[in-house]
Amino acid sequence: MTLKRSPLDAVHRRLGAKMAPFAGWEMPIEYAGTLSEHRAVREAVGIFDLSHLGKVEVRGDGAHDALQHALSNDLDRLKEAGAAQYTLCLDERGGIVDDLIVYREQDGYLLVPNAANWPAVAEQVSASAAGGTEVTPRPEVAVIAVQGPRAPELVGGLFDVAGTLAYMHMAPVRYDGVQARVCRTGYTGERGFELLVPGEAAERLWDELFDRGAALGAVPVGLGARDTLRLEMGYALHGNDISTETDPFAARLGWAVAMDKGDFRGRDALVAAKARGPERVLVGLVSTDRQIPRHGMAVLRDEQPVGEVTSGTFSPTLRHGVAMAYVLREAAEPGTDLQVDVRGRRGAVRVSRPPFVDASPK
């Protein structure tokens, strides 16, 4: 399979990035190293290329009704153009096809799903749409994320609107003569922005961000640090922590499901799932020894299997292991001591409610 390449591909290679396949794309995993890039985001500012993410515009008279049926959250909570919300795309069984951000725009909506899942999301939206609804992928749009305590200072120097933009909001802007979007969103737990620009303007914007950000400590950040940053916050990753085999209640994402908004795909299945309660639930785990939990490791209680790790890593901020795992409900109470099977050794972990670090994107 031929891997897709970002509009910034040549930039990453010039910077010496370690490139690897990811969701059908060849993307930078790290530049100077995951640990230093992670710390830069927590302490100063990091800049990511996220052009692999899906971008899907939904326009037309039926756009609202199509998305109300295809997505789990209540679109009517987006009171004005520019407002955004986290939501889920579900199948008929209530399984999670993807999690995504939906932005309300003046003439429709913009969806930003995960890289591997945007075709499935677009298909679900199209299946819910009546005539006159246009569902249009925009793969030519690049996404540059600027994340960290100094991100508002950096992005605010380029776009005045960044200084007043509320969390989970977006504003249309012009950059270098082309239409762009400044989004007050991110996946790191730090204050930050995601900048959407046409691919032909991506390199100019990237270079200008680094020219302006040099004095602020700006560094390029790969997908390796993006994963450790999101895991320190307990943010779910589709394909690891959530999938079509998990429902929102087991994944503790019921807050993103508006059960009272009327009919939507998967609602009947979720009514039944909520009534019976999940057998296993997604929890956070914190290592209490030197062992590091990793994806796929068994979770034990008194040598009996009670679950499985879905995401795990060494936390650069905390200097010990953190993880997400599905465990039996009776083992899910915060403070419960469990073990993880680390290649035959027992790693001690304690159930904890994320986030694991003291950070907030707001």
Side-chain angles (χ1 to χ4, degrees), residues 58-67 107-109 129-134:
V58 185
R59 307 272 188 254
D61 293 340
H64 172 275
D65 291 347
L67 292 176
D107 58 347
Y109 298 88
T133 304
E134 300 173 4

Side-chain angles (χ1 to χ4, degrees), residues 98-113:
D98 201 14
D99 63 333
L100 62 144
I101 302 291
V102 54
Y103 299 88
R104 180 178 171 182
E105 299 191 292
Q106 289 287 354
D107 58 347
Y109 298 88
L110 171 70
L111 313 182
V112 181

Side-chain angles (χ1 to χ4, degrees), residues 54-125:
K55 289 81 55 176
V56 180
E57 294 177 351
V58 185
R59 307 272 188 254
D61 293 340
H64 172 275
D65 291 347
L67 292 176
Q68 277 290 68
H69 185 261
L71 303 179
S72 67
N73 216 329
D74 187 357
L75 220 58
D76 290 340
R77 295 173 184 168
L78 303 182
K79 298 299 185 183
E80 71 282 331
Q85 70 181 191
Y86 177 87
T87 189
L88 307 172
C89 181
L90 306 174
D91 62 20
E92 293 288 356
R93 299 182 302 113
I96 303 173
V97 174
D98 201 14
D99 63 333
L100 62 144
I101 302 291
V102 54
Y103 299 88
R104 180 178 171 182
E105 299 191 292
Q106 289 287 354
D107 58 347
Y109 298 88
L110 171 70
L111 313 182
V112 181
N114 287 294
N117 296 336
W118 76 257
V121 171
E123 182 179 349
Q124 294 281 56
V125 173

Side-chain angles (χ1 to χ4, degrees), residues 116-358:
N117 296 336
W118 76 257
V121 171
E123 182 179 349
Q124 294 281 56
V125 173
S126 296
S128 295
T133 304
E134 300 173 4
V135 181
T136 309
R138 296 295 186 194
E140 73 279 6
V141 174
V143 182
I144 298 175
V146 185
Q147 302 280 305
R150 307 200 74 174
E153 187 177 351
L154 176 53
V155 177
L158 268 172
F159 304 105
D160 290 341
V161 70
T164 57
L165 195 60
Y167 180 58
M168 293 297 286
H169 280 73
M170 176 270 290
V173 295
R174 301 285 294 179
Y175 177 76
D176 202 23
V178 297
Q179 190 68 38
R181 301 173 175 101
V182 175
C183 306
R184 181 70 172 80
T185 48
Y187 195 50
T188 67
E190 297 294 335
R191 296 180 69 194
F193 301 85
E194 292 174 317
L195 310 177
L196 280 64
V197 297
E200 64 269 19
E203 188 168 344
R204 293 193 296 276
L205 177 56
W206 178 274
D207 289 343
E208 186 167 1
L209 285 167
F210 279 100
D211 288 344
R212 292 172 174 265
L216 304 177
V219 302
V221 183
L223 298 183
R226 189 170 186 254
D227 191 55
T228 56
L229 288 157
R230 70 92 190 169
L231 188 45
E232 285 188 343
M233 294 300 296
Y235 293 157
L237 174 64
H238 197 280
N240 280 43
D241 312 304
I242 54 176
S243 71
T244 52
E245 299 306 311
T246 55
D247 69 62
F249 303 120
R252 297 191 188 275
L253 293 174
W255 57 269
V257 180
M259 296 294 290
D260 58 352
K261 71 171 181 175
D263 186 43
F264 60 92
R265 184 177 291 110
R267 186 183 187 281
D268 290 345
L270 291 189
V271 169
K274 189 173 185 180
R276 66 176 176 266
E279 179 183 358
R280 297 187 177 198
V281 293
L282 189 63
V283 300
L285 301 177
V286 174
S287 294
T288 55
D289 62 16
R290 297 177 63 86
Q291 301 295 334
I292 308 299
R294 301 290 184 184
H295 171 78
M297 291 181 176
V299 182
L300 310 171
R301 188 178 195 181
D302 299 327
E303 291 300 313
Q304 297 301 310
V306 294
E308 183 175 301
V309 174
T310 53
S311 292
T313 193
F314 172 78
S315 163
T317 302
L318 300 175
R319 312 297 295 176
H320 59 65
V322 297
M324 304 288 286
Y326 280 95
V327 302
L328 295 174
R329 278 192 292 177
E330 56 265 31
E333 185 67 24
T336 302
D337 288 320
L338 303 171
Q339 300 81 42
V340 174
D341 185 348
V342 184
R343 297 177 297 277
R345 291 174 292 179
R346 296 294 179 260
V349 294
R350 183 167 294 143
V351 176
S352 175
R353 191 177 296 279
F356 303 112
V357 297
D358 183 17

